[in-house]
Amino acid sequence: MKGLLEPSGWRKAAVFAVLLFSLLLRAEAHLGSPTVFYEGKAGPYDLRVVIQPPKVVPGRAAITVRVHNGPATVQVLPVRWDTGRKGGPPPDTAVLVEGETNLYSAELWLMDSGAYSVFVDVAGALGPGTAIVPLNSVATQRLKMESWMAAMFLGCGFGLIVLLVFIIGAATRESVVPPAATLDRAAARRGRYGMSIAILLLLGALLRGRAWWNEVDARFENKRLFKPVEVPARVEQRDSTQVLTLSLDTEEQGWRDSSPLVADHGKLMHLFLVLDPGMNAFAHLHPVQKQPNTFQAVLPSLPAGSYSVYADVTRESGLEQTYFARITVAAPTTSGSTMLGKDDSWWEQSLGGGVAAGTSREVRFANGTRMRSVTELNAIAQHELTMRFEVVGPDNKPAPLEPYLGMWSHAVVRAQNGSVFTHIHPAGTISLTSQELFARRERGESLRKPIDVVCGRPDRELTFPYYFPQPSEYRVWVQIRSNGEVLTGAFNFHVAPDRI
Amino acid sequence: MEAAVLSHVTDRSAGQSAVSTLPWYCLAAVLGATCIPIGALWDISWHSTIGRDTFWTPAHLTIQLGGLIPGFTAGWLALRATYLGTAAERGAAVSLGPFRAPLGAWVIIWGTLAMLFSAPFDNWWHDAYGLDVEILSPPHTVLAAGMYAVALGSFLLVLSHQNRTGDRAGGLLFLHAAGVLVTMSTIIVTEKSYPNQQHGSFFYQISAAIYPLYLVIAARASKLRWGASGAALVYMCLVAGMVWILPLFPAHPKLAPIYNPVDHMVPPNFPLLLVAPGLAIDLIMQRFTPGRTFWRDTLLAILLGFAFVGAFLAAQYYFSALLISPAADNAVLAGNRWWPYFIKPSDFRFRFWNPAKDPLTIAGLLLACALAAVKSRIGLAVGNWMCKVQR
């Protein structure tokens, strides 16, 4: 862990990561992190909903619902964005997980690609309540056949073909010979001819089958697989500032949602920049839409280097999408910061209070405020956890928090190898804007009214439900606003593989 | 059973008219194979009505039964002919290495193995490309080939029995087996044969490329006079039975989005009126059967090709117009009642699709006639061979 923080360690790892990046990256709303978390209310009930989406669509998702103030009856219903609940079947009743008192599980059938939401209906002693949990229903995996399975299929297929050739040989050789008669040379010759023709025909059929399979695979990859969308981006020097221009008008060959973009936390796009290698600089910006598919942002004071750029957008359908780009900042930017919006924020390791790692779980900001991870900075991959942080002012009392972009806190998670990037909130991985869109559609309300959703104020700790999808070194940036200033704390998490 | 198995091999006259001589294995194989198209139609209805399925749905179990009953029957026949049979029984079998069995039994065994193999393949396909995105996929094709082989093997089993004994019951069972094959072939092209597509050339071309083969084989290889129309009638009865029985069962969709909230099992389309071209084929072949020379059969095939398309067009063109009209919206014709839950109701249901892209033209029909003639010629050749099958 310590070595990771040394520049050389970072560099080696990051070079390897960058090479692997395009192979590992999966573009979803959250890159490489498909599990959906929702921590919130369903009427009077406090829930944690976890959804494991299928890797291909149509497919089955697994959902678990923990009713913190349960027990209760839980019903779940996946709903496609354009048909709503009225276009859905009756909900399925989730069953109590064995050994649990308030955890329920069910299976969700997702039959189409696009924006979905799961309606979670809870009924119990406190009355009824419903939570809406948005999720992207998209194919994210191109499954490779394992070698043992390929060998088994090849063996069985070969056996079937050989058997068929022999049956055809027997048919042409013997079938028309009267039962009492013996086989002559002509019969044997017929059999050989029959088998030869069968072999040719079956070879032709096999070649056609192979071509067909390839066509299906290509169609899946080009039309249905939700692939990483790398978009063009460039940095231009304009007077004393550097301006980043990002174009979403790409030649996407794959599946796409063409519904218009909507503002999430009042912004059409949330743009995150991470310096590679090392992740020692980070920015959270909000570009301005210059043309329908072109966005521009003034860069703040950032060191020169190569940056990974992640652009989060939400569409009117409720689909969340992250575009990816790579830019190079040739020289350190110095004076753009004064032209940034009040919600834009950035962080640099040497200036931002350092990075908490290992047993040192605290970062201290210039104004004396401290941010501390209550959770240990070690985790197990694919194990549900709640990351907990507390923010203490110089007076050792909880720092006064103000909403930042409609939330009391934000966390941005990125794996060192670049395979995971996600932006989460105390409500989980879902977009509250997307949730509100689904709710409005269900109520028959306009989608064009401004959406202003704010999470509940935290008691003392900032909590983020999450699930690190794979073993790696992760950096988590936690952002809050206190006394009008956006504070960004950086934490390194060591995520080990699940050995069980 | 022992007396029934192959007693007809040397005593042809003994079984010529007695229904009781029909061997159990022929009945088991053919009736078992009948489960396959019934299960397939039920499965399509299941997907159109309920949506969700598992390996254990009744429709899937019916299909599996259709593989297993003939499969076990054929396996027993192979064991018996190889190890337990008399010299006569072994003589009425074909050999595959050291093993012996009637030809039909071997084809059934292959079909059952292919059906079994398709299950893990299909499971992997679902994981890789999604749950049944298309009816026609490579693993479904392997399954279809297996199902088809089971039906074909049953057909061959009863064919050799018919040829050896010439009894009427065997002849009727042969026509039933031929009807099962016709039904399966219609299911494969379900998506190309909706009533709304039947005013376009493509429907007649694809029909001509498929059905004359079966109808001509049935006509030529059957010992009965009305082989083609009999096989077509069996197909129509099987499908019409499903059209009338399935909607008797209430059911609701369990998948979103539901555009068409059905409340009963959705029936298949009313069967094609294949009995019309079947009758035409039978009448022509009754007139031209004697003297099976190559060129005579070739000329006959050309005539059969034109007859098939002419009779089929005459029947189906007007019948399809009835089927898409409100007049067919009743329990008998199920004209507007076969739409799955996921299809949006619109006037799309009541009109012919793509008249501009796929018009019914003379050139299109001539191509259909040519296809039908080729398939008729193949059917005659296969039928000639089938007339001689003894094992």
Side-chain angles (χ1 to χ4, degrees), chain A residues 485-496:
Chain A
E485 184 184 0
V486 177
L487 300 176
T488 302
F491 299 84
N492 281 352
F493 276 77
H494 172 70
V495 179

Side-chain angles (χ1 to χ4, degrees), chain A residues 379-427:
Chain A
I380 305 292
Q382 302 188 2
H383 276 222
E384 190 182 324
L385 83 159
T386 302
M387 292 187 282
R388 297 175 185 280
F389 302 89
E390 59 183 14
V391 185
V392 180
D395 54 359
N396 281 331
K397 291 181 180 171
L401 299 183
E402 299 145 23
Y404 170 44
L405 294 164
M407 294 282 169
W408 295 98
S409 55
H410 301 254
V412 176
V413 179
R414 189 189 170 207
Q416 177 197 346
N417 64 10
S419 60
V420 176
F421 172 85
T422 189
H423 173 193
I424 57 178
H425 306 112

Side-chain angles (χ1 to χ4, degrees), chain B residues 126-138:
Chain B
H126 288 174
D127 290 343
Y129 301 112
L131 299 167
D132 289 345
V133 177
E134 290 158 332
I135 293 178
L136 274 180
S137 65

Side-chain angles (χ1 to χ4, degrees), chain A residues 16 39 43 72 121 126 216 235 261 299 366 369-370 413 445 477 490:
Chain A
F16 179 65
E39 185 92 36
D121 298 329
L126 303 177
V216 172
V235 178
L261 300 179
L299 294 181
T369 303
R370 287 169 291 137
V413 179
E445 295 175 4
W477 291 275

Side-chain angles (χ1 to χ4, degrees), chain B residues 138-222:
Chain B
H140 283 186
T141 303
V142 175
L143 175 65
M147 294 193 297
Y148 188 84
V150 169
L152 180 66
S154 306
F155 176 80
L156 290 171
L157 212 53
V158 74
L159 170 78
S160 63
H161 168 77
Q162 175 202 252
N163 289 352
R164 288 195 307 269
T165 65
D167 72 82
R168 184 173 172 75
L172 288 171
L173 197 60
F174 172 78
L175 289 189
H176 180 92
V180 168
L181 284 172
V182 173
T183 310
M184 290 176 64
S185 67
T186 63
I187 293 171
I188 295 283
V189 289
T190 298
E191 290 173 317
K192 311 291 181 196
S193 309
Y194 295 125
N196 312 64
Q197 296 167 306
Q198 293 177 8
H199 275 199
S201 296
F202 185 69
F203 165 71
Y204 293 96
Q205 289 160 6
I206 200 163
S207 299
I210 295 173
Y211 308 129
L213 175 72
Y214 300 98
L215 298 181
V216 171
I217 286 174
R220 172 124 306 171
S222 172

Side-chain angles (χ1 to χ4, degrees), chain B residues 76-102:
Chain B
W76 166 247
L77 287 175
L79 282 175
R80 180 166 184 79
T82 305
Y83 299 112
L84 307 170
T86 61
E89 287 168 347
R90 283 201 298 277
V94 299
S95 57
L96 222 63
F99 302 103
R100 298 187 71 82

Side-chain angles (χ1 to χ4, degrees), chain A residues 56-60 78-80 82-83 86-90 92 107 109 111-112 116 141-146 149 152-153 156-157 159-161 163-164 166-167 170-181 183 209 212-213 216-217 219-220 224, chain B residues 9-10 51-54 87-88 90-97 100 103 106-107 109-110 113-114 117 120-122 124-134 136-138 141-142 164 252-259 341 344 385 388-391:
Chain A
V56 290
V57 174
R60 287 180 287 249
V79 168
R80 210 175 77 170
D82 56 344
T83 54
K86 67 179 183 304
D92 286 316
E107 197 173 59
W109 288 64
M111 300 309 289
D112 289 307
Y116 265 78
Q141 174 187 278
R142 184 167 171 270
L143 185 68
K144 292 283 183 191
M145 190 179 285
E146 291 181 51
M149 190 178 279
M152 184 192 78
F153 285 152
C156 291
L160 279 173
I161 287 167
L163 183 59
L164 188 56
F166 278 107
I167 289 172
T172 48
R173 186 176 62 238
E174 300 175 43
S175 64
V176 296
V177 177
L183 300 178
W212 184 16
W213 190 332
V216 172
D217 193 59
R219 200 161 56 241
F220 174 78
R224 291 172 46 217
Chain B
V9 170
T10 52
R52 285 187 208 176
D53 66 349
T54 69
R90 283 201 298 277
V94 299
S95 57
L96 222 63
R100 298 187 71 82
L103 173 63
W106 286 126
V107 177
I109 287 169
W110 187 89
L113 292 175
F117 167 67
F121 187 19
D122 197 36
W124 181 86
W125 196 267
H126 288 174
D127 290 343
Y129 301 112
L131 299 167
D132 289 345
V133 177
E134 290 158 332
L136 274 180
S137 65
T141 303
V142 175
R164 288 195 307 269
H252 296 274
K254 285 191 167 184
L255 285 181
I258 301 167
Y259 294 119
Y341 71 89
K344 285 180 182 171
W385 171 73
K388 295 184 278 188
V389 168
Q390 294 287 314
R391 300 188 182 208

